[in-house]
Amino acid sequence: MVDLKKIKEWVLNNKQVGKVFSYEKGGELCWSSVAIQKYEGIIKVYIDEILESQMDSENYLREEILKFSTIEEAIDYLSNESQVRIEDLCPCKGQKIFNPALGN
């Protein structure tokens, strides 16, 4: 677990932070990817959710890229609208969770 100050520092330094995890939804295993990154002065948030049974057909329950003016707004959104624990976010090494150039 990481403190919120460190997460904000990473994001404000243009690092993508995120997490891929699973949780139970309606008795089924649901996979989610969540990430946040500052890109061209805007804070972008990516969230997807897919039931494990739908992975082959790529039938996502949710897949979105949202824009926020401040890191606080983005973190509040993630806290309230996703299953991720903010303190579990960490820098993405190698392959990123989402392409921040999309969703403009």
Side-chain angles (χ1 to χ4, degrees), residues 8-29:
K8 287 180 179 181
E9 180 183 308
W10 285 328
V11 172
L12 294 175
N13 285 316
N14 301 317
K15 288 188 179 179
Q16 187 173 116
V17 297
K19 177 135 179 102
V20 176
F21 61 98
S22 64
Y23 64 96
E24 190 173 308
K25 181 174 185 143
E28 285 193 66
L29 191 60

Side-chain angles (χ1 to χ4, degrees), residues 51 75 77-78 89:
L51 295 173
I75 288 172
Y77 183 83
L78 284 176
L89 298 176

Side-chain angles (χ1 to χ4, degrees), residues 19-67:
K19 177 135 179 102
V20 176
F21 61 98
S22 64
Y23 64 96
E24 190 173 308
K25 181 174 185 143
E28 285 193 66
L29 191 60
C30 184
W31 286 91
S32 182
S33 302
V34 174
I36 182 171
Q37 182 174 352
K38 182 178 174 187
Y39 180 77
E40 295 183 346
I42 298 196
I43 307 297
K44 292 194 169 187
V45 167
Y46 175 84
I47 302 173
D48 75 18
E49 294 177 337
I50 188 167
L51 295 173
E52 190 169 64
S53 62
Q54 296 295 310
M55 286 182 143
D56 287 342
S57 62
E58 295 185 19
N59 186 15
Y60 286 85
L61 297 170
R62 171 185 192 185
E63 186 175 30
E64 58 190 14
I65 297 175
L66 303 162
K67 300 176 197 175

Side-chain angles (χ1 to χ4, degrees), residues 66 73 95:
L66 303 162
E73 290 173 332
Q95 188 172 353

Side-chain angles (χ1 to χ4, degrees), residues 75-102:
I75 288 172
D76 284 346
Y77 183 83
L78 284 176
S79 295
N80 295 318
E81 301 296 329
S82 76
Q83 299 294 320
V84 76
R85 290 176 17 162
I86 300 302
E87 60 271 12
D88 289 342
L89 298 176
C90 60
C92 299
K93 296 178 180 168
Q95 188 172 353
K96 306 290 187 211
I97 292 174
F98 78 110
N99 179 348
L102 301 176

